[in-house]
Amino acid sequence: MFLTFILGCGCAWLAGRSHRPGHGDRRVVAVAAMILMGLARFLHFALFDEPLLEPLTYLFETACLTATALVSWRCARARQMVRQYYWLYELAGPLAWRLRQDVPAKTP
């Protein structure tokens, strides 16, 4: 549990944050999470003598690390949009942004 949740998800969070929009998309983040998952499985194998390719734990760790990395990427994207375009957007929660209320809407 320590390797998967503390170390693995912590590294996945940092990997998701590091892939800024414009420098890569969600696929790059998912690939980085897959690489981290392989490293976590190897650590489980090397340190605790667990099977290397256990299907159930493989899927569980893949889901945990990929979800963590993608949430981190989305959170960084929302903060970036609000920070770069502060006159246009405001945060609408930790993972989303919206048009500011004081910005006039476009009329055709």
Side-chain angles (χ1 to χ4, degrees):
M1 290 297 176
F2 175 75
L3 281 176
T4 300
F5 290 117
I6 304 298
L7 292 179
C9 288
C11 289
W13 183 268
L14 294 175
R17 262 188 21 188
S18 69
H19 289 289
R20 298 291 180 169
H23 298 230
D25 59 355
R26 286 176 285 234
R27 290 175 289 187
V28 174
V29 175
V31 168
M34 295 290 183
I35 292 170
L36 285 173
M37 186 276 315
L39 293 172
R41 281 305 317 148
F42 178 75
L43 286 176
H44 281 279
F45 170 74
L47 295 176
F48 304 114
D49 204 24
E50 292 183 12
L52 185 61
L53 297 175
E54 181 77 24
L56 187 60
T57 57
Y58 183 84
L59 289 174
F60 176 73
E61 287 183 3
T62 300
C64 288
L65 297 180
T66 303
T68 301
L70 289 174
V71 166
S72 171
W73 179 81
R74 184 63 183 188
C75 186
R77 170 85 171 165
R79 284 193 317 264
Q80 180 190 29
M81 290 297 288
V82 171
R83 188 172 47 246
Q84 277 189 308
Y85 305 107
Y86 57 89
W87 68 90
L88 192 57
Y89 297 118
E90 63 187 2
L91 278 177
L95 302 177
W97 61 93
R98 67 175 170 244
L99 193 60
R100 289 177 59 112
Q101 299 300 323
D102 57 349
V103 175
K106 280 187 168 182
T107 56

